[in-house]
Amino acid sequence: MSAVAVCFVCQWCAQIGAERAGRDRLQLPGGFVMVPVPCAGAVPVDVVLRAFADGAEGVAVLGCHLGGCHHNQGNRGASVRLALLGATLATLGVHPHRLLVSFGSAHEGHQFASVVEGFMTRLGALSQGADLALLRGRLEGAALAPGCDLPPREPEAGAPSPLPADILEEARRLLASGEVGHVLGLAVTDGGVLPEVFSTPQELERAVAASKYPLAKTFWRFMGGMPQGTSAALVCRPCDARAVREQTKMAQYEGQTVRCLTLGCSEEDAHKCGCANPGVDAPSYVALPDPLADLDPAGRIAFWRDSFQRCIKCYGCRNVCPVCICPSCRLEDETFVPPGILPPPPLPWHACRALHVADRCVGCGACQDACPSGLPLLALHGSLSGHLHRESAYIAGMGMTSPIAAAMAAQGPCGGPPPAWGEPGGARGADREVRHG
Ligand code: SF4
Ligand code: SF4
């Protein structure tokens, strides 16, 4: 029986190629369903994942030449997103032949016939492997034990210590001068180490540092309840400071001024986090070796199958993540991720979340620390961050650009230079000041 595949075809090239192939009576393989789309950029990665989850053995996205997009730069954005999807599938152990992304190769009849023929032939040669079961969310037979050993992570906040003198002095100065109205940090209370908002220099006497405590999401929630014009500083870990930058890129602090007073982490704390570089403004776990590097695809499939099997769909990973802040979340879409199913289908759930935060995950590890089932989530997020770093030297939170936005903004709509990221009229205008002290 021939393989079943879904081909998303751009109406401006591959769809025309398909029509010409038919008109020229070229032989086409069976087993593929063609879905015309206005642009390759209109194919969300979620939909590709859903096609796999619903039974496709392979998915192809065929678009126009890069640089020849009828919707300006739609296919450039698609190329980055779909490359990330390919990296996700590779991390999970899915055979690379199951996803074909091709630009400009199928706009003539014979080209379309040859691309589809090659794709379907390669798919047909694959066995009905374990990767298909993983793609479709069939996890029967999964063991409840982890598939390989990863370094244990410290779940609780580290022991509190006094704030470094320079940070304390700067926080006091900011409050005393009125440069900021609030400083959010940590204090020791009856309940332990908890976040606290300090509004006077005197109150800062109670501030402490505890580098394992994530604060960027708390800060985002606090500022979300404050009016425009509010200025505040966050005393935090380097990864939290990078998360605040990512939140800023998502226009979360419009009309507000935020400042991060960044504490470097100790080597000991960095080791507990699995962080390779705990410096004040330094790249984090992208430098860590891939913990799954020694596993072949079959080992990866077993590892993820066993891990995903333990997920109880509590949404803890999403809720704690400082950059998972969309007002409506695809993971709650009942047609996409049916309610009441445990464990959730891994592709729509885990791969979708990883892809949605791929270019803004700062590797803080809050998701992995929060997971009650001990899922090794950083192995998935880290592999995508590593892919972006290798492909475009990108590290989330280290600047105000994003590879996806940069790909789409490579050329302005009229051929001129596009507005820069963060400038008025840019992809995500940001009129607030962000300084990292
Ligand atoms: S490590 Fe997890 S919690 Fe932290 S930014 Fe990445 S996805 Fe979000
Ligand atoms: S925190 Fe863990 S168990 Fe809860 S939804 Fe996320 S991966 Fe699943």
Side-chain angles (χ1 to χ4, degrees):
M1 198 175 80
S2 62
V4 177
V6 176
C7 297
F8 294 100
V9 291
C10 167
Q11 66 179 11
W12 300 103
C13 55
Q15 188 181 0
I16 294 170
E19 185 193 347
R20 285 190 183 146
R23 219 168 44 200
D24 293 347
R25 296 183 169 79
L26 298 177
Q27 185 147 5
L28 292 173
F32 76 93
V33 178
M34 211 169 75
V35 181
V37 290
C39 173
V43 182
V45 288
D46 310 2
V47 172
V48 177
L49 293 174
R50 182 58 190 259
F52 278 121
D54 283 350
E57 295 173 30
V59 175
V61 181
L62 308 177
C64 300
H65 284 289
L66 294 177
C69 179
H70 283 66
H71 297 273
N72 297 321
Q73 302 297 328
N75 59 4
R76 287 195 188 276
S79 72
V80 179
R81 285 195 299 268
L82 292 166
L84 271 170
L85 173 60
T88 308
L89 297 180
T91 297
L92 297 177
V94 173
H95 199 288
H97 287 169
R98 297 211 184 275
L99 177 68
L100 170 69
V101 181
S102 179
F103 296 103
S105 63
H107 63 290
E108 292 288 343
H110 65 280
Q111 288 175 328
F112 180 86
S114 136
V115 165
V116 173
E117 174 77 41
F119 177 53
M120 297 305 291
T121 302
R122 289 191 296 275
L123 269 189
L126 299 181
S127 62
Q128 295 278 318
D131 61 342
L132 277 185
L134 186 72
L135 287 170
R136 294 170 189 172
R138 291 205 305 265
L139 299 169
E140 302 93 344
L144 288 178
C148 77
D149 291 331
L150 288 174
R153 291 175 58 83
E154 191 79 2
E156 73 279 359
S161 58
L163 277 189
D166 57 334
I167 298 286
L168 181 60
E169 188 184 330
E170 178 65 357
R172 281 187 180 135
R173 188 193 68 75
L174 288 171
L175 283 175
S177 65
E179 270 186 60
V180 303
H182 313 277
V183 172
L184 193 143
L186 294 171
V188 178
T189 70
D190 291 345
V193 178
L194 289 173
E196 184 147 328
V197 177
F198 308 100
S199 301
T200 67
Q202 295 72 28
E203 289 173 7
L204 282 166
E205 293 302 327
R206 299 178 46 248
V208 295
S211 69
K212 280 290 291 171
Y213 204 114
L215 279 173
K217 192 126 193 190
T218 307
F219 185 67
W220 171 77
R221 288 202 180 97
F222 168 69
M223 292 299 277
M226 302 302 282
Q228 290 219 339
T230 299
S231 56
L234 175 66
V235 180
C236 61
R237 314 181 290 175
C239 48
D240 277 326
R242 292 195 298 274
V244 169
R245 236 188 227 135
E246 288 301 314
Q247 293 165 349
T248 304
K249 283 156 68 173
M250 288 183 276
Q252 298 301 299
Y253 300 111
E254 295 286 350
Q256 298 177 329
T257 301
V258 302
R259 177 161 181 174
C260 292
L261 301 176
T262 311
L263 306 159
C265 295
S266 69
E267 289 294 330
E268 187 187 351
D269 284 335
H271 180 71
K272 288 177 188 167
C273 287
C275 175
N277 197 342
V280 166
D281 206 6
S284 181
Y285 68 108
V286 286
L288 280 178
D290 179 357
L292 308 183
D294 293 338
L295 295 181
D296 62 10
R300 284 171 181 257
I301 290 166
F303 173 80
W304 289 113
R305 185 198 61 199
D306 295 350
S307 299
F308 294 148
Q309 173 81 1
R310 302 198 307 269
C311 177
I312 57 170
K313 209 175 172 185
C314 66
Y315 286 90
C317 48
R318 179 204 62 176
N319 294 348
V320 78
C321 174
V323 295
C324 230
I325 52 179
C326 300
S328 74
C329 178
R330 199 82 167 107
L331 297 179
E332 290 177 16
D333 183 336
E334 295 193 359
T335 59
F336 191 64
V337 183
I341 294 182
L342 290 176
L347 263 277
W349 180 272
H350 296 284
C352 177
R353 198 182 99 71
L355 282 158
H356 278 205
V357 298
D359 67 339
R360 48 187 204 254
C361 169
V362 295
C364 67
C367 53
Q368 185 164 287
D369 283 345
C371 177
S373 303
L375 264 70
L377 297 171
L378 271 179
L380 185 54
H381 293 296
S383 105
L384 296 195
S385 300
H387 170 84
L388 282 175
H389 189 230
R390 283 190 301 278
E391 295 296 312
S392 51
Y394 175 75
I395 297 171
M398 295 299 285
M400 296 301 282
T401 60
S402 151
I404 294 175
M408 295 187 71
Q411 188 182 354
C414 305
W421 185 274
E423 285 182 357
R428 291 173 185 170
D431 62 358
R432 77 207 69 79
E433 175 193 10
V434 181
R435 289 182 292 153
H436 290 247

